[in-house]
Amino acid sequence: MTQVPAPPTDQAAYWNQAGGQAWVDLQNLMDRLNRPIEEVLVARAFPGAGKRVIDIGCGAGATTLGMAKRLGPEGLCLGVDISGPLIEIAKAQAIAGAQFVEADAQTYDFGAPGFDAAMSRFGVMFFSDFDAAFANIRAGLKPGAELVFACWRKPADNPMAVIASRAAAPFLPPTPPTDPLAPGRFAFADPDRVHGILQRSGWAQINIDRLDTPTPVALPDLVTLSLRMGPVAAALRDQDEAVRGKVREAVETALAAEAVNGVVPMVAGCWLVTARA
Ligand SMILES: C[S@@+](CC[C@H](N)C(=O)[O-])C[C@H]1O[C@@H](n2cnc3c(N)ncnc32)[C@H](O)[C@@H]1O
């Protein structure tokens, strides 16, 4: 039996291959699901009409476009992402005041400190050197400018994220232990860790608040997401059709038990993090 793949260590490769492709394929669904978080983020990070904002790990650009609309044509929201396929989709949707660049936000030169805010929806937990990445982002902001991002709390606060893995486990080889601090979805689950990273990289007035956002999702959509993204998707990649079928059935049954009238009343358990350059 083969081992279940560990979380990706080469994030650039992951987001340009399997991970990025899954987001490309499911982009409309993901944007719909995460729209309530976009609304909170854009409202909180908005620095005023005509200002300049960085969107870190912007993916296909929904939050960049949302911010650009609020900033107006005199403003700029610059979406930065390491994934070629996702930036391609973002560029195809660009509007006045929204620009996109395919780059690593850890090292990208944002120019003289000229931005009025930086924001991210789930795009800052994948850096290989968190301290250096946040210092680089800070260098692109004017003194006193605000950083606002949403990241996931621990899996126990996001039970829907683990139901599929649990249901699939009996049909798959054992998962090797993973490092909870490694870059990945839940790397910022510990608020003390996030606070330390921001403090060491020069940020001030750090606040980390709970953000529990209802993100109800139709049962078939959640089944699709659970099988196409995250640990179950990675584990299924090397499996034959018989195993895939059993896993699909187990995941469908487990998630159906959570649904009310065909909708799973999911709540995204996140941190809303703010700090000043
Ligand atoms: C979970 S997705 C979120 C995408 C988008 N913010 C959204 O909410 O739809 C994480 C994103 O971070 C990007 N990313 C990961 N590492 C990055 C890096 N070093 N620099 C820029 N983007 C990065 C990935 O390519 C991916 O698009």
Side-chain angles (χ1 to χ4, degrees):
M1 265 190 172
T2 52
Q3 283 235 305
V4 173
T9 48
D10 182 346
Q11 293 290 330
Y14 176 74
W15 289 106
N16 277 285
Q17 295 162 19
Q21 193 53 50
W23 276 74
V24 165
D25 295 346
L26 302 175
Q27 185 227 329
N28 290 334
L29 174 51
M30 292 306 289
D31 283 345
R32 218 167 47 238
L33 182 72
N34 290 325
R35 172 67 54 83
I37 297 164
E38 174 193 326
E39 284 166 6
V40 172
L41 183 72
V42 169
R44 183 65 188 75
F46 179 63
K51 302 281 188 183
R52 290 156 49 89
V53 179
I54 304 169
D55 186 2
I56 309 151
C58 65
T63 47
T64 317
L65 298 176
M67 177 59 87
K69 283 179 198 148
R70 283 202 71 165
L71 294 170
E74 304 299 314
L76 168 68
C77 190
L78 176 67
V80 181
D81 202 286
I82 204 164
S83 167
L86 283 167
I87 279 292
E88 214 172 287
I89 295 185
K91 280 184 174 165
Q93 307 182 86
I95 56 170
Q99 285 178 21
F100 295 98
V101 58
E102 180 186 338
D104 185 339
Q106 301 181 91
T107 51
Y108 181 70
D109 181 359
F110 291 101
F115 284 88
D116 301 288
M119 66 174 191
S120 182
R121 181 180 67 182
F122 306 142
V124 291
M125 303 89 80
F126 307 95
F127 300 135
S128 52
D129 182 338
F130 289 114
D131 292 9
F134 279 96
N136 186 52
I137 294 160
R138 186 177 56 79
L141 298 195
K142 294 176 183 166
E146 201 170 25
L147 168 71
V148 183
F149 67 82
C151 59
W152 295 105
R153 299 205 305 275
K154 58 186 185 304
D157 290 344
N158 290 282
M160 297 305 153
V162 286
I163 284 178
S165 304
R166 238 181 255 141
F171 307 101
L172 295 168
T175 312
T178 55
D179 174 3
L181 300 185
R185 198 156 55 135
F186 293 115
F188 277 11
D190 175 2
D192 291 340
R193 180 185 201 209
V194 178
H195 195 282
I197 289 168
L198 292 177
Q199 205 164 40
R200 285 193 301 278
S201 51
W203 295 87
Q205 297 179 39
I206 302 160
N207 281 300
I208 304 177
D209 297 317
R210 284 173 73 103
L211 175 68
D212 289 285
T213 311
T215 52
V217 55
L219 176 62
D221 288 344
L222 187 54
V223 172
T224 301
L225 288 178
S226 304
L227 294 172
R228 283 295 317 275
M229 287 178 163
V232 177
L236 282 180
R237 235 161 261 144
D238 294 329
Q239 302 301 322
D240 60 28
E241 202 35 57
V243 172
R244 288 168 171 273
K246 284 182 198 156
V247 167
R248 196 176 306 122
E249 201 182 320
V251 168
E252 271 167 4
T253 305
L255 291 175
E258 306 294 326
V260 180
N261 297 327
V263 174
V264 178
M266 201 157 72
V267 174
C270 303
W271 298 120
L272 185 67
V273 180
T274 59
R276 291 211 177 258

